[in-house]
Amino acid sequence: MKYTAKLVIQYILYGICFGCTFFVIMCLFCFIGGGQDLLTLIFNDFARQSIGAMIIGVACGGTAIIYQFNRPSIFVKIIIHFCVGMGIFYPIAIYLSWIPFYPDRILFTVLQFLFSCGIFMIIWFCFYLFNRNEAKKINKRLRELEQDNINNRN
C-alpha cells in the first residue's frame, strides 16, 4: 500500500511537471508565431491558465499510472487513459479559451475535437516509443549481466 501511494504521488507530480512544460512550450509557440492576442489572454488570467495546465497534466500524465498495473488489458488501459485525459482536457481547453467553441458550428467543433485527439495520440505514441526503447536497453543490459554471471560461474 505504501508503495502504491508513493507511486500515485510520483505520477501526479510528473503530470504537473508535464502540464507546466507543455503550457510553457505552447506559450513559446504563440510568442514565436505572433499569437500575441492569445498570450495577452493567458497572461491576464495567468493563475487560472496555469492551474488548468496543471490539472490537464495530472489528468493526462497522472493517469498513466494505469500502465503500472497488471490487471486490465493494454487496450483497456489505453482507453481509460485516453478517456480521462481527453475528458479533462477538452472542457478545460474550451473553458480557458485555448480552443474556440462555436455551438452553432458542430462540424467545426467535431473537427477540433478530432484534431485534439490526434495530438493526444501523437504525444502518447512518443512516450510509448521512448518507454519501449528504455525497456529494450534495460533488457539488453540484464541479458549482458546474466551472461556475465554464467561466465563467472564457469
Side-chain angles (χ1 to χ4, degrees), residues 122-149:
I122 290 168
I123 293 169
W124 181 90
F125 190 67
C126 289
F127 276 103
Y128 170 78
L129 291 176
F130 173 80
N131 287 320
R132 187 178 76 171
N133 188 40
E134 288 298 306
K136 284 181 181 181
K137 287 179 186 176
I138 291 168
N139 286 333
K140 180 181 176 191
R141 182 66 181 138
L142 287 173
R143 282 191 295 278
E144 289 171 357
L145 290 173
E146 187 177 289
Q147 190 62 39
D148 287 346
N149 241 357

Side-chain angles (χ1 to χ4, degrees), residues 86-150:
M86 287 306 295
I88 300 295
F89 167 77
Y90 201 69
I92 289 177
I94 289 172
Y95 176 72
L96 294 174
S97 300
W98 294 348
I99 297 174
F101 180 65
Y102 306 108
D104 54 327
R105 294 172 50 196
I106 193 71
L107 180 62
F108 183 75
T109 302
V110 169
L111 291 175
Q112 278 183 166
F113 180 74
L114 293 175
F115 183 73
S116 299
C117 290
I119 291 172
F120 185 93
M121 286 187 263
I122 290 168
I123 293 169
W124 181 90
F125 190 67
C126 289
F127 276 103
Y128 170 78
L129 291 176
F130 173 80
N131 287 320
R132 187 178 76 171
N133 188 40
E134 288 298 306
K136 284 181 181 181
K137 287 179 186 176
I138 291 168
N139 286 333
K140 180 181 176 191
R141 182 66 181 138
L142 287 173
R143 282 191 295 278
E144 289 171 357
L145 290 173
E146 187 177 289
Q147 190 62 39
D148 287 346
N149 241 357
I150 291 171

Side-chain angles (χ1 to χ4, degrees), residues 30-84:
C30 285
F31 179 76
I32 292 168
Q36 270 63 24
D37 292 340
L38 180 59
L39 283 175
T40 301
L41 290 172
I42 290 171
F43 293 140
N44 287 340
D45 192 24
F46 190 73
R48 279 186 337 134
Q49 300 287 330
S50 300
I51 291 169
M54 287 184 241
I55 291 169
I56 291 169
V58 170
C60 295
T63 57
I65 193 170
I66 194 150
Y67 299 109
Q68 298 297 318
F69 302 114
N70 295 329
R71 262 296 149 113
S73 69
I74 188 68
F75 181 72
V76 171
K77 291 175 185 178
I78 292 169
I79 295 297
I80 290 169
H81 187 206
F82 180 79
C83 288
V84 171

